[in-house]
Amino acid sequence: MKNKKIIIVGAGLCGTLLAIRMGQRGFEVHLHEKRPDMRKESVDAGRSINLALSSRGLKALAKAGMEADIRKSCIPMRGRMIHTLEGEQRFSPYSGRADEYINSVSRWGLNVQLLEKADEMENVKLFFNSHCQEVDLEHATATFRNSKTTEIWQDKGAVVIGTDGAGSVVRRSLMGRTTDLLFNYSQNFLRHGYKELTIYPGDGGSHRIEKNALHIWPRGSFMIIALPNLDGSFTVTMFHPFGGDYGFDALTSEEKVKDFFETNFSTLIPHMPHYVEEYFKNPVGSLGTIKCYPWQAYGKALVMGDAAHAIVPFYGQGMNASFEDVRVFDDLMEETGDNWSVLFERFQDMRVDNANAIADLAIDNFHEMQDKVADPTFVKKRQLEMKLEQTFDDYYSKYSLVTFKPDMPYAKAMELGRRQDELLLKMVEGIDVEAIDLNKVMDEISQLHSTPVA
Amino acid sequence: MKNKKIIIVGAGLCGTLLAIRMGQRGFEVHLHEKRPDMRKESVDAGRSINLALSSRGLKALAKAGMEADIRKSCIPMRGRMIHTLEGEQRFSPYSGRADEYINSVSRWGLNVQLLEKADEMENVKLFFNSHCQEVDLEHATATFRNSKTTEIWQDKGAVVIGTDGAGSVVRRSLMGRTTDLLFNYSQNFLRHGYKELTIYPGDGGSHRIEKNALHIWPRGSFMIIALPNLDGSFTVTMFHPFGGDYGFDALTSEEKVKDFFETNFSTLIPHMPHYVEEYFKNPVGSLGTIKCYPWQAYGKALVMGDAAHAIVPFYGQGMNASFEDVRVFDDLMEETGDNWSVLFERFQDMRVDNANAIADLAIDNFHEMQDKVADPTFVKKRQLEMKLEQTFDDYYSKYSLVTFKPDMPYAKAMELGRRQDELLLKMVEGIDVEAIDLNKVMDEISQLHSTPVA
């Protein structure tokens, strides 16, 4: 069993799902989490309250036998509800097909479901308050500090896998080895941050605005979005510049905040009478992209999930990409077994381009969600896409390729999706959507799909 | 004097020159160096033995009144001496003008000259074995560990300036503040490393190969260069892939190394009879580019030199760019005085694009030095440029703009230089250089210079 012990650092969504799958395969798993057990103590994860779960994430959960259970905690969001400055609401479905939607899910609730599943398994052992300090890469040995007892101890496995998020300690240990590993790394922050607010439930736990939608109040250089929760509330997120006349750094008084909301989000105010208080209570988070390579060292240590590829939230793919890591890792294991060197190398080489692709797509969508949802050409393109989706079973928009086609790698979805977008934008320019011959469009798109990607 | 104490972390080339200039301006300077005093103890800096000093570096040294002294330790290198596989030598001047050349200088010797100058100044205090652990950015307080006494102590100034190189601790303190500072950072390593070897002096301290040249043995995917030293020796540097059939990782036996050198560098062997022994004795270094932004925090802490912008050595500009940082910082101070916030912000905003430009140029030159020095079109372009330089006082090649025009910022030199290169490469294609009308070429180049850079 010497080769069978896996140390996982970080019991967030990715790490816990990985622990479950590795447990199901019969490995001895030690799952370490620096925070207390979130099932027993209130934990401020400092992270978003709810998330969008879609096909890639669901496919990974299905492999662990958990899809059906998790779906019970999901609220389908069938499209974007755009709220204009004038108070108009415009619903834009994510797909012309009824079974293609994304799901709002509670980060806490999902993590708890995963932890409970992991905890049931005899060969998976959970360690809370267990804060990784560093990893001895060559010896697959991680040093932990128990944040309650202050005890320092070492846990040695066949391998150490870091699923410890954007601030990963495991990645930091890789990074310290610049010369051996030629470790490439980048972190890039948007000049926008985010702050969470709340729309509380309506009468009898009802949803005060459309339940089955992801709501967007696009306002050019800033926006607000809202995702529904099961209790009738919505988690509202401001994506907002730090600087400038109305940036976070300038909105320092009640008066300024009120003024700003009354000017830009007046239709939201009736749903959040407490917003000024909440504004000053809640912190501002930053939005960063992390890329790195390699993800593994010596066949002994590996990072995955946000630890390897933290992305901005604008494609709703952060959790899905991390769950997909677990699914792909697990798929590869069918061939490699516990030949860790081969497994780790194949995994990183298969995943890195896809992780970079979804990172770039998420940045693109940041601009699209802010600016383009109101752009007439973009709206026409979306209309044309809707018609294509309703008419042709095999038409997929870029968004659908990324969100609803879990068998297509992100990199390919990006490449194809971008070429499709270019084509469609050209087609709708100066033309009424009704006048477009759908069959002709579909022909051109099929040609595009059969052209090899450069 | 509360506002007048400057803590400088790192007494390498950049930090010591900065200490001198700040000392000359009357500030109280504490200059900390983690290594022992290199004037008294042999210090392995783990860095290149000699360096190319050119106009930008000299301009900064001149401002500190040190140019004349330093020039005495320099060996002019007037061009590249290309050594072909067949043993042919071809000299290619850096410029058609006699006063434009670069200088080989000993890193150690130059650093010692700077340290002696700094040590003479009453208001500059040197601390050796003083290893910075972290910086409290808001309070301009650095924590040091004396590596001989193991004592830990704190030094507080008006500001802390990190000139502590590519592995900067001061930068790490900035980096820890991702959310406050939105600290963007990247490190990228080439898949090539380097190893230093030596050509020892000839009879009576003579130079065994041409003294006044930078020697290159270009071999496609790898190369060797050599720079002259005052004692008649040359420092030889292999720039060589880690991987592949003949990479560093594969050259593991005496036989393989001998085989490799006999095949690729046979004309070098007579000058280095000891090369196999040296090959196995000397370490392999990595070649990385570091970019980051911001360079300052709260008007209290700043990084400059390699700590802010480590580059690969292929343009011979690493030290020159760092010295230029000091010169620009000092120039800006004429306007800002010790208004540190304004000074630091202006400095970073003025320098970051230029630092990124020389980083990119150095990567470009990595490819140019390996491949293109033997390319016929490239050789013809170089011939045309030589004629232009000899004919027109105001013609400058990209290389000359970067190397010999210290008043033109790197970013502008890159932009103009690249456009010139494109133009000239187009002009020489399929045409004999003798047949080209130089006046016509110069007209087009003048036009290019008067077109605003996009």
Side-chain angles (χ1 to χ4, degrees), chain B residues 357-386:
Chain B
I358 191 60
D360 294 344
L361 283 165
I363 296 281
D364 289 354
N365 232 28
F366 166 59
H367 301 292
E368 190 172 312
M369 286 176 85
Q370 282 189 112
D371 300 327
K372 301 215 181 126
V373 285
D375 176 279
T377 311
F378 181 85
V379 169
K380 268 167 44 181
K381 173 182 149 272
R382 193 70 208 109
Q383 285 168 352
L384 174 57
E385 287 194 305
M386 288 292 299

Side-chain angles (χ1 to χ4, degrees), chain B residues 305-360:
Chain B
D306 283 1
H309 50 79
I311 66 179
V312 296
F314 302 104
Y315 228 104
Q317 286 292 319
M319 165 181 57
N320 292 288
S322 294
F323 280 170
E324 191 171 71
D325 279 355
V326 176
R327 200 264 299 162
V328 170
F329 184 81
D330 191 52
D331 283 354
L332 284 170
M333 209 169 225
E334 295 293 333
E335 292 167 40
T336 66
D338 57 11
N339 185 338
W340 301 110
S341 293
V342 174
L343 173 59
F344 285 10
E345 287 203 4
R346 282 205 203 158
F347 175 72
Q348 70 176 1
D349 289 342
M350 181 167 283
R351 286 303 282 170
V352 67
D353 289 347
N354 293 315
N356 290 342
I358 191 60
D360 294 344

Side-chain angles (χ1 to χ4, degrees), chain B residues 50-65:
Chain B
N50 51 23
L51 294 161
L53 175 62
S54 51
S55 309
R56 291 176 199 267
L58 287 164
K59 183 171 175 175
L61 291 168
K63 226 181 157 195

Side-chain angles (χ1 to χ4, degrees), chain A residues 32-331:
Chain A
H32 292 265
E33 170 55 45
K34 69 174 175 183
R35 294 170 299 180
D37 187 344
M38 60 166 66
R39 295 169 298 177
K40 295 172 191 157
E41 289 180 50
S42 158
V43 166
D44 176 22
R47 298 286 295 281
S48 56
I49 290 163
N50 53 21
L51 294 162
L53 175 61
S54 52
S55 309
R56 291 176 199 266
L58 286 164
K59 183 170 175 177
L61 290 168
K63 224 179 158 196
M66 299 188 68
E67 186 188 358
D69 266 359
I70 302 293
R71 274 196 186 270
K72 289 177 197 152
S73 317
C74 288
I75 299 176
M77 297 184 288
R78 300 192 173 275
R80 298 166 172 172
M81 183 70 83
I82 310 297
H83 298 253
T84 67
L85 190 59
E86 295 74 28
E88 225 185 295
Q89 295 189 31
R90 204 171 57 233
F91 184 74
S92 166
Y94 281 121
S95 163
R97 286 175 287 264
D99 61 338
E100 291 178 355
Y101 53 84
I102 64 177
N103 300 281
S104 179
V105 67
S106 151
R107 175 191 287 274
W108 179 85
L110 179 53
N111 213 336
V112 164
Q113 275 185 279
L114 291 166
L115 284 171
E116 281 177 352
K117 176 94 173 180
D119 217 356
E120 283 168 12
M121 305 177 82
E122 268 190 27
N123 51 336
V124 176
K125 196 164 171 198
L126 275 57
F127 298 81
F128 292 100
N129 307 300
S130 190
H131 193 173
C132 185
Q133 306 294 302
E134 60 175 336
V135 177
D136 175 346
L137 302 173
E138 281 93 339
H139 303 100
T141 302
T143 302
F144 295 95
R145 180 178 184 278
N146 186 303
S147 49
K148 298 237 157 146
T149 66
T150 76
E151 183 201 0
I152 304 265
W153 67 292
Q154 295 191 317
D155 199 3
K156 180 174 166 57
V159 293
V160 175
I161 302 181
T163 51
D164 48 345
S168 173
V169 172
V170 180
R171 189 187 66 232
R172 199 200 300 151
S173 291
L174 293 174
M175 196 158 165
R177 298 295 192 78
T178 49
T179 310
D180 302 8
L181 298 177
L182 303 177
F183 190 75
N184 289 348
Y185 173 81
S186 72
Q187 61 183 42
N188 277 287
F189 289 88
L190 295 181
R191 303 292 120 175
H192 280 58
Y194 71 96
K195 187 191 278 283
E196 290 183 332
L197 305 171
T198 318
I199 295 174
Y200 288 114
D203 295 337
S206 65
H207 287 83
R208 296 182 56 102
I209 52 177
E210 169 59 41
K211 176 183 178 184
N212 293 115
L214 188 157
H215 296 262
I216 311 183
W217 290 257
R219 298 293 183 267
S221 67
F222 50 87
M223 67 171 166
I224 278 179
I225 71 166
L227 273 72
N229 297 315
L230 286 172
D231 66 359
S233 67
F234 285 82
T235 301
V236 174
T237 310
M238 296 178 70
F239 292 106
H240 201 73
F242 286 98
D245 289 349
Y246 297 99
F248 278 131
D249 296 341
L251 294 180
T252 49
S253 71
E254 286 199 11
E255 203 190 330
K256 283 178 184 168
V257 172
K258 269 189 187 161
D259 226 47
F260 175 77
F261 270 78
E262 279 162 13
T263 307
N264 296 288
F265 301 109
S266 60
T267 59
L268 244 176
I269 297 175
H271 301 305
M272 316 193 290
H274 53 280
Y275 75 97
V276 175
E277 192 188 330
E278 219 178 5
Y279 181 93
F280 286 105
K281 203 184 70 192
N282 291 353
V284 174
S286 59
L287 298 163
T289 301
I290 289 175
K291 297 179 179 178
C292 68
Y293 190 87
W295 292 1
Q296 73 96 25
Y298 319 121
K300 297 281 186 184
L302 175 73
V303 285
M304 65 166 81
D306 283 0
H309 51 80
I311 67 180
V312 296
F314 302 103
Y315 228 105
Q317 285 292 319
M319 164 180 60
N320 292 289
S322 294
F323 279 170
E324 191 172 72
D325 279 355
V326 176
R327 199 264 300 162
V328 170
F329 184 82
D330 191 52
D331 283 354

